[in-house]
Amino acid sequence: MSQKVLLTSKEVDIILHRLACQLIEKHLDFSDTILVGIQPRGTFLAERLKDLLENEYAIPKIALGYLDITFFRDDFRRTSKPLEANKTQIDFIVENKKVVFIDDVLYTGRSIRSALTAIQSFGRPSEIELLVLIDRRFSRHLPIQPDYRGRQVDAINDEKVKVCWENQDGEDAVYLINNK
């Protein structure tokens, strides 16, 4: 197994600021916008962006929710290992709001398809956008593309992208891991 650094801590920080600025350009004061972290790993990115927007760009009271898509996946009955659901936490109405889905890695697109189905339980958003830290562009099974991307990565199928967060994994970094 080999591991290659795709993004250092400094590069992750620069990308987070760029993504925050792109969100501000589009959503201004966020009064009609909701950030939704896709469970499990998209929540870490969503929390970091919310923190940046509120504390470094002075945008108050950004709505942030967490969406569990476990039982909305089209492959959830195909796995032999038991599934562990995460907690959905959306304490607001999404009806006629702009929703920004946030996930760490866009791979096949199936998680996002599941999120599109799951969010409908909370109302009908006026618009849904997708923000990802890493876009694995050659791995898509569905025609889903991000509106905001931190970095585009060309990884082949037996390679894995691992995103590490300071508060969860002890460092901010992104690695490309080859299991061969």
Side-chain angles (χ1 to χ4, degrees):
M1 183 172 90
S2 65
Q3 177 172 289
K4 174 184 165 191
V5 176
L6 289 178
L7 295 174
T8 64
S9 176
K10 183 176 174 99
E11 291 168 320
V12 169
D13 189 55
I14 291 167
I15 287 171
L16 291 176
H17 280 273
R18 179 172 46 82
L19 290 170
C21 289
Q22 289 174 343
L23 285 170
I24 292 167
E25 281 180 27
K26 178 84 189 271
H27 298 278
L28 302 175
D29 67 355
F30 287 77
S31 58
D32 286 327
T33 302
I34 298 166
L35 303 182
V36 176
I38 307 295
Q39 289 276 24
R41 305 281 304 174
T43 59
F44 306 128
L45 175 56
E47 288 167 359
R48 289 286 291 276
L49 284 169
K50 179 183 192 290
D51 183 60
L52 261 180
L53 290 165
E54 289 180 343
N55 296 319
E56 296 200 27
Y57 295 99
I59 297 169
K61 299 181 188 153
I62 293 176
L64 171 62
Y66 307 116
L67 185 63
D68 178 48
I69 58 165
T70 304
F71 299 111
F72 293 91
R73 294 187 59 92
D74 58 4
D75 59 355
F76 92 92
R77 285 192 174 95
R78 295 176 185 217
T79 181
S80 57
K81 64 181 182 180
L83 291 174
E84 287 184 33
N86 294 287
K87 187 177 180 188
T88 289
Q89 185 181 337
I90 296 180
D91 320 352
F92 35 76
I93 304 292
V94 301
E95 191 73 28
N96 295 320
K97 296 285 188 183
K98 295 174 184 165
V99 171
V100 180
F101 284 151
I102 299 175
D103 209 356
D104 59 349
V105 179
L106 176 58
Y107 183 28
T108 63
R110 292 185 183 278
S111 293
I112 303 308
R113 190 216 50 83
S114 303
L116 290 166
T117 303
I119 197 70
Q120 306 213 1
S121 305
F122 299 93
R124 184 174 184 265
S126 64
E127 182 180 324
I128 299 176
E129 295 179 329
L130 175 59
L131 180 148
V132 297
L133 183 65
I134 302 293
D135 175 12
R136 289 184 59 155
R137 67 178 176 162
F138 293 136
S139 309
R140 217 73 83 238
H141 294 177
L142 301 170
I144 291 175
Q145 301 300 323
D147 298 283
Y148 312 92
R149 79 171 50 91
R151 173 96 178 261
Q152 203 166 47
V153 174
D154 299 336
I156 52 179
N157 288 332
D158 59 344
E159 293 176 320
K160 183 179 182 210
V161 174
K162 180 181 178 190
V163 178
C164 299
W165 297 107
E166 176 75 43
N167 62 341
Q168 191 69 21
D169 309 300
E171 68 172 336
D172 284 342
V174 179
Y175 297 98
L176 183 64
I177 298 170
N178 191 332
N179 291 320
K180 283 189 172 181

